Amino acid sequence: MNHLKTFALLAALTALFMGLGMLLGGPVGAGLALLVAAIMNGFAYWNSGAMVLRHYKARLVRDGET
C-alpha cells in the first residue's frame, strides 16, 4: 500500500510540475518539466536511503559498542 501512495504522490507532483511548465512555456515547457521531474524522481528513488542516513549522520556500529 505504501508503494501505491508514494507512486500517487510522485505522479501528482509531476503533473503539477508539468502544469506549471505548460503555463510558463507551452508544450515545450511541459516536456522540459516532465524530463526534469523524471530525473529528480529517479534520483530520489535510488538515493533516498543514503540521503536519510547522511542527514542523521548514521554510522556503522561495531560489536561491543553501545
Side-chain angles (χ1 to χ4, degrees):
M1 187 65 176
N2 283 336
H3 292 286
L4 182 61
K5 289 179 185 178
T6 301
F7 176 78
L9 176 65
L10 289 176
L13 290 174
T14 299
L16 178 66
F17 197 56
M18 285 183 66
L20 233 112
M22 184 69 141
L23 284 174
L24 295 175
V28 174
L32 185 60
L34 177 62
L35 179 66
V36 170
I39 291 169
M40 288 175 20
N41 288 340
F43 179 82
Y45 179 79
W46 277 290
N47 295 309
S48 59
M51 290 189 302
V52 169
L53 291 173
R54 196 174 17 224
H55 174 76
Y56 286 105
K57 296 177 179 69
R59 63 180 180 81
L60 188 61
V61 178
R62 307 273 183 212
D63 286 336
E65 287 186 50
T66 58

